[in-house]
Amino acid sequence: MIKFCTLFLLSISVFFKSVAQDRAPAYPLITHDTYFSIWSFGDELNQSVTKHWTGKNQSLTGILKVDGKFYRFLGAESKEYKSILPATDETAYQAAYSFNKPTEGWMTKKFDDVKWQKGIAPFGDDKSAKTKWNSDDLYYRRKFSIAKLSAGKKYLKLNHDDDVEVFINGKSIYKKEGWVHEYIYIPIEEGILNSGENLLAIHVKNTAGGRYLDAGVVEEIPQKSTVGLAKQTDVKVEATTTKYSFTCGAVKLDVTFTSPLLLNDIALTARPISYISYVAAATDGKTHQVDLYFSASSNLSVNTADQPVTATKSLTNNLSILRAGTVDQPVLKKKGDDLRIDWGYMYVAVPEKFKAIQYINKQAESLNSFLGSRYPSTATIVNAKELNLSSIIPFGTVSGNSVEKYLMMGYDDLKSVEYFGTQLHPIWKKSGERFEVQLAKADKDFPSVIKKCAEFNASLYADAKKAGGAEYADLCELAYRQSIAAHKIVYAPNGDILFLSKENFSGGFINTVDVTYPSAPEYLIYNPELLTGMLNGIFYYSESGKWKKPYPAHDLGTYPFANGQTYGEDMPVEEAGNMIILTGAITKAQGNAKYAEKHWATMSIWADYLSKEGFDPANQLCTDDFAGHLARNANLSVKAIVALGAYAQMAQQLGKTDEATKYRNIALEMAKKWQQMADDGDHYALTFNDKNTWSQKYNLVWDKLLGLKLFPEAVYKKEINYYLTKQNTFGLPLDSRKTYTKSDWIMWTATLADNQADFQKFVKPIYQFANKTESRVPLNDWHETTTGTKVGFQARSVVGGYFIKLLADKWGVKN
């Protein structure tokens, strides 16, 4: 989150400064795990629909009624459509089709398709397909009539896999390479559709993977809302909270989203319940009648909007509760990256003492129910789509004295992950309690939890500012919840804690070791037990005999299935180095080597491997796999050397003196040789065999933090001085091959600096990136240093690596 000011430039170039607000690429609202993660992707909370981190709509709406006038402060109005030509999510239909290339003019109305086959949509090769399609090409024709063409905006409703071209009445209206996995809506220009007969014609070409086609035509329903916009006056992102302030007529409204991820309390962190609190006060010395409307879309509980849900309302444990979940409840049936949860149940709960009115109805109708004070009484709705769970909280007569009320949002995922064949429950469920009991506990805890969060927020910011300056502290605040919410806390069948990451928007892998590695600093500071939870599964994979190679696996599978590596290639030196270095870091953080001792036999195999293969790595991938294979990688060599030094350090603590001496000597000899082979004058090269190149040697940071003293400080200094000549507007490139970078690695590199001024020179461009990027997604860690735009990845846990400088300070390692 970054500070910006609204400035007014007068003709005489005098600037006036208004209230400063934080700015972020996206704003965390509800952040618990990779499935329960809701964000605002714009600077104004009421200018866009709230979204899951993947970018799919998960709508939250908030409106304040003041003396009969309505002010929307949260979310934007979602578009509503009525069907002209239904797709299969509404009505079964038949279309003409061919797998063979037709003659010219096949997309026109006059073409004769009498010899084409007829089939029921959707077309594809999966279980949902009614007509099987297994060839490369599909040609599709569907005639339809419009009695009288209205003036409303028309859209093509399309779901396709892969390349597609769409025609209406012979004219090409849409063409795209690639695929989607949900309906998209493409505007249809005026004059394309006619009153009377029309033709929808589509060609889809399979290029890889699955096949799918379904389509229709819809018309947008005009919005007739009398709701105005609240004026946002402030937004502030802190470690566990995002706070907004609004003006709603003569009433000031403060809205705070709190996800109480206090890592020293694992049970609280793992309880998937957030608070949304509201404080209203009059600003004009008068009294006003105030009511607050909040709604949450049932799309929070589906993967795609066409999945039917069941929703209920109840009164339990002094809470008014709304609940929704899919009808099918496919628990742990899907895996992959760009997915949302479609099992378990979402909850909205309001303390009974607030006398809330709650109701359930269609998304298009829920707001009108509030505006007209007509509330449906149905307690259960079954087999419906896109419902809103709505709550109206009366504030009554509001004066200049603040009135505070709150509600809670939670998600019961029933079973969280599958771990080597065993489906694991969320940890709160170990006691056998129903989720409603967890909500009651969260309600009781509200005052104490909010107080603890406020104290933690202040402490984190003060510590980070002291360690690296105000801009660094802002970046740490922004990274804190994002990193945690890319994980899930569970317990393995043997009782080990597991803190399993999802590799968001970079493959969807679970418990990837080279994602754990950059994420680690945040957890070394705030709870090293969670870092053991990031390593335990990888150790188990090797120690159980399921993984038999002399180095660690890359991952445990594809989220949420941790049943064994699914990445297509090993990273031998990378992952062996990561696991040993992180075990060394845990040893330092915990002040003893008990964790290392537990896994010593396994680490000894990995250390032996690194002693033979680590110094001059073969042509293999490292954590920066997007950059491709690289032989003789000098930075990867540093990782192996530092890992062997960390192994020797742990051996010494365990009283294994001979082993400690052996491996420390190996590491020292390697470090000496490395300085000779990588030397390129005023810096060290990217590879041993390719001079006039350079790269960030971010792996050196553990030599400094662990106090290994394998490399002279002059090596750090030479690299830092060189890097400062290579910076671009939005950061230091990863290496000399490209101008893109990884912001987590820049933080590690910067921590090698021997003075605060140089450290901040590296931080400032990252701060500028977060402040100015046009890539409005949860903080992406792979960006272009020349333009400040996203290259790839978003919402990943690796931004926990931003805490490396704060970790250095905590461990007494100064500039």
Side-chain angles (χ1 to χ4, degrees):
M1 126 296 294
I2 311 300
K3 313 289 182 186
F4 70 90
C5 297
T6 304
L7 301 174
F8 297 91
L9 178 60
L10 302 181
S11 58
I12 56 174
S13 300
V14 176
F15 292 86
F16 293 90
K17 179 178 176 182
S18 72
V19 176
Q21 298 191 41
D22 289 353
R23 188 189 188 275
Y27 298 79
L29 304 178
I30 307 292
T31 47
H32 287 278
D33 57 44
T34 186
Y35 288 135
F36 193 29
S37 182
I38 307 170
W39 299 68
S40 173
F41 280 41
D43 293 326
E44 306 289 326
L45 186 61
N46 56 10
Q47 293 292 338
S48 61
V49 178
T50 56
K51 300 176 185 291
H52 185 256
W53 66 260
T54 56
K56 301 304 183 293
N57 287 354
Q58 292 193 337
S59 178
L60 305 179
T61 303
I63 295 169
L64 198 70
K65 180 181 179 182
V66 180
D67 299 331
K69 293 184 178 180
F70 300 90
Y71 303 88
R72 177 160 45 83
F73 60 86
L74 167 60
E77 292 183 359
S78 298
K79 288 185 177 180
E80 300 291 336
Y81 305 97
K82 62 181 180 181
S83 289
I84 295 174
L85 181 66
T88 59
D89 62 328
E90 294 186 75
T91 305
Y93 70 85
Q94 191 177 72
Y97 71 95
S98 174
F99 297 136
N100 300 315
K101 186 176 181 179
T103 57
E104 218 173 295
W106 69 272
M107 75 292 292
T108 63
K109 286 193 286 187
K110 65 182 180 181
F111 180 82
D112 185 1
D113 62 12
V114 68
K115 294 183 180 179
W116 282 31
Q117 298 180 75
K118 303 295 188 293
I120 298 174
F123 297 82
D125 59 2
D126 65 8
K127 292 179 181 178
S128 68
K130 300 298 184 183
T131 299
K132 292 298 179 184
W133 164 37
N134 293 302
S135 63
D136 287 341
D137 294 278
L138 172 68
Y139 296 85
Y140 161 113
R141 286 171 54 89
R142 187 181 177 194
K143 293 179 180 177
F144 62 102
S145 293
I146 301 176
K148 184 178 180 181
L149 193 66
S150 68
K153 294 179 181 178
K154 312 296 191 299
Y155 295 82
L156 170 71
K157 178 180 177 180
L158 179 66
N159 192 346
H160 68 92
D161 186 358
D162 290 302
D163 299 353
V164 68
E165 185 169 14
V166 182
F167 304 85
I168 291 182
N169 297 331
K171 182 171 181 177
S172 177
I173 67 160
Y174 183 70
K175 189 173 184 179
K176 175 183 171 64
E177 292 184 359
W179 55 276
V180 296
H181 54 72
E182 63 180 356
Y183 293 108
I184 57 174
Y185 294 82
I186 298 107
I188 300 172
E189 293 179 8
E190 288 188 29
I192 300 293
L193 291 167
N194 308 311
S195 294
E197 185 179 89
N198 293 269
L199 174 75
L200 175 64
I202 304 174
H203 173 216
V204 189
K205 185 174 186 62
N206 177 255
T207 57
R211 301 166 176 81
Y212 192 85
L213 177 64
D214 185 28
V217 176
V218 298
E219 180 176 324
E220 184 178 343
I221 300 172
Q223 300 290 336
K224 298 180 180 179
S225 174
T226 58
V227 177
L229 287 180
K231 181 182 179 182
Q232 183 174 308
T233 58
D234 194 19
V235 56
K236 183 170 181 56
V237 178
E238 297 177 329
T240 64
T241 58
T242 302
K243 300 177 178 180
Y244 292 89
S245 294
F246 300 91
T247 298
C248 304
V251 171
K252 180 177 185 286
L253 178 68
D254 294 327
V255 182
T256 301
F257 297 84
T258 302
S259 295
L261 306 181
L262 301 175
L263 296 180
N264 65 334
D265 186 337
I266 288 176
L268 177 61
T269 300
R271 184 170 72 189
I273 298 171
S274 279
Y275 303 99
I276 308 177
S277 54
Y278 309 93
V279 177
T283 58
D284 61 355
K286 300 178 181 179
T287 60
H288 302 276
Q289 293 301 307
V290 175
D291 293 298
L292 186 141
Y293 166 88
F294 172 82
S295 73
S297 170
S298 63
N299 285 350
L300 270 71
S301 62
V302 303
N303 180 42
T304 57
D306 59 342
Q307 292 179 277
V309 300
T310 294
T312 62
K313 70 173 181 176
S314 62
L315 185 62
T316 307
N317 298 327
N318 298 315
L319 294 171
S320 300
I321 296 175
L322 298 169
R323 186 183 89 152
T326 57
V327 172
D328 292 341
Q329 287 297 305
V331 179
L332 291 174
K333 297 297 183 184
K334 295 181 179 70
K335 63 180 179 179
D337 196 350
D338 188 7
L339 291 175
R340 276 98 4 232
I341 194 168
D342 59 2
W343 70 91
Y345 297 92
M346 61 172 287
Y347 286 79
V348 177
V350 183
E352 185 183 9
K353 64 186 179 183
F354 294 151
K355 302 185 185 305
I357 298 170
Q358 292 190 311
Y359 59 93
I360 310 162
N361 56 2
K362 292 288 288 182
Q363 193 167 287
E365 302 164 0
S366 61
L367 179 55
N368 288 333
S369 295
F370 174 53
L371 298 179
S373 300
R374 297 184 299 272
Y375 312 121
S377 59
T378 307
T380 302
I381 296 180
V382 179
N383 203 31
K385 299 172 186 175
E386 297 196 271
L387 298 174
N388 266 9
L389 311 186
S390 301
S391 303
I392 299 170
I393 304 176
F395 275 64
T397 302
V398 172
S399 65
N401 297 320
S402 296
V403 179
E404 180 178 25
K405 304 200 176 184
Y406 63 91
L407 59 82
M408 295 171 289
M409 290 194 68
Y411 205 101
D412 177 5
D413 61 5
L414 303 179
K415 293 179 179 178
S416 302
V417 298
E418 184 171 295
Y419 181 71
F420 294 103
T422 300
Q423 294 185 348
L424 303 181
H425 290 99
I427 70 170
W428 64 264
K429 226 179 185 79
K430 289 182 71 177
S431 61
E433 291 178 349
R434 290 172 54 83
F435 196 77
E436 289 81 355
V437 176
Q438 291 295 310
L439 287 167
K441 289 181 177 179
D443 181 33
K444 181 182 177 182
D445 292 344
F446 174 75
S448 62
V449 167
I450 295 300
K451 183 174 183 290
K452 289 176 183 176
C453 285
E455 291 170 350
F456 175 76
N457 294 345
S459 174
L460 182 149
Y461 184 81
D463 291 346
K465 184 178 180 181
K466 181 181 177 183
E471 292 177 343
Y472 175 68
D474 286 347
L475 290 165
C476 287
E477 286 185 310
L478 181 58
Y480 182 80
R481 271 176 285 167
Q482 174 173 313
S483 183
I484 300 168
H487 295 86
K488 188 70 178 183
I489 305 174
V490 289
Y491 286 104
N494 67 358
D496 282 348
I497 189 171
L498 300 172
F499 191 43
L500 301 173
S501 64
K502 179 176 180 178
E503 198 172 338
N504 290 345
F505 265 25
S506 56
F509 304 106
I510 189 169
N511 206 186
T512 302
V513 178
D514 56 282
V515 168
T516 295
Y517 180 63
S519 306
E522 181 172 338
Y523 307 101
L524 286 164
I525 294 170
Y526 296 113
N527 193 340
E529 184 183 358
L530 288 170
L531 184 53
T532 69
M534 298 161 85
L535 306 190
N536 284 337
I538 299 296
F539 276 123
Y540 171 78
Y541 196 13
S542 286
E543 291 164 356
S544 65
K546 300 176 190 296
W547 178 264
K548 303 180 185 301
K549 298 178 182 180
Y551 47 80
H554 168 271
D555 60 81
L556 291 184
T558 301
Y559 201 94
F561 296 99
N563 293 323
Q565 179 173 310
T566 54
Y567 189 74
E569 186 174 342
D570 299 340
M571 297 185 186
V573 174
E574 174 70 36
E575 311 305 18
N578 291 339
M579 289 294 290
I580 294 174
I581 290 170
L582 293 179
T583 304
I586 289 168
T587 297
K588 183 175 180 67
Q590 294 184 331
N592 64 73
K594 292 179 181 177
Y595 187 73
E597 186 174 27
K598 180 179 178 181
H599 301 291
W600 195 256
T602 302
M603 284 201 299
S604 294
I605 294 170
W606 298 341
D608 181 65
Y609 175 83
L610 289 178
S611 71
K612 297 171 181 175
E613 305 291 341
F615 174 71
D616 196 353
N619 190 36
Q620 58 185 257
L621 293 173
C622 70
T623 183
D624 304 316
D625 53 351
F626 51 83
H629 292 76
L630 187 65
R632 314 197 73 189
N633 182 336
N635 187 46
L636 188 57
S637 177
V638 169
K639 178 169 289 182
I641 296 167
V642 172
L644 291 173
Y647 179 82
Q649 187 180 69
M650 289 182 283
Q652 189 68 44
Q653 288 180 257
L654 290 170
K656 302 177 185 291
T657 307
D658 291 345
E659 202 168 0
T661 301
K662 172 187 172 182
Y663 279 96
R664 178 156 182 83
N665 287 338
I666 292 172
L668 285 168
E669 185 58 34
M670 285 182 173
K672 182 178 179 181
K673 189 176 179 182
W674 184 94
Q675 293 170 66
Q676 297 168 352
M677 292 178 61
D679 186 61
D680 196 13
D682 58 355
H683 69 283
Y684 296 95
L686 169 68
T687 63
F688 290 140
N689 60 322
D690 191 4
K691 301 302 170 70
N692 299 313
T693 60
W694 64 273
S695 64
Q696 291 188 46
K697 307 301 188 303
Y698 52 81
N699 289 317
L700 277 170
V701 76
W702 292 107
D703 183 51
K704 181 175 181 177
L705 265 65
L706 294 176
L708 301 176
K709 301 186 183 302
L710 299 172
F711 293 87
E713 291 183 5
V715 171
Y716 312 161
K717 184 66 174 176
K718 180 190 281 191
E719 287 291 273
I720 288 294
N721 288 344
Y722 186 78
Y723 298 150
L724 288 172
T725 71
K726 296 297 180 181
Q727 292 215 97
N728 290 325
T729 304
F730 297 105
L732 175 68
L734 182 65
D735 57 47
S736 52
R737 291 173 292 177
K738 300 280 187 179
T739 55
Y740 58 55
T741 195
K742 292 281 276 78
S743 56
D744 48 340
W745 294 148
I746 295 178
M747 288 293 195
W748 290 32
T749 295
T751 303
L752 293 170
D754 62 5
N755 63 85
Q756 189 76 287
D758 282 351
F759 173 79
Q760 291 180 354
K761 288 176 184 176
F762 291 104
V763 171
K764 193 171 191 64
I766 306 174
Y767 178 90
Q768 291 299 317
F769 160 71
N771 184 23
K772 296 180 179 179
T773 181
E774 296 179 3
S775 302
R776 305 311 298 270
V777 297
L779 190 61
N780 68 284
D781 53 284
W782 180 20
H783 72 266
E784 176 54 58
T785 63
T786 56
T787 63
T789 55
K790 168 186 167 183
V791 177
F793 310 154
Q794 66 192 53
R796 299 208 309 165
S797 66
V798 301
V799 294
Y802 287 10
F803 287 83
I804 191 82
K805 181 63 168 63
L806 184 52
L807 178 65
D809 267 33
K810 180 179 179 181
W811 284 356
V813 180
K814 302 299 181 182
N815 292 119

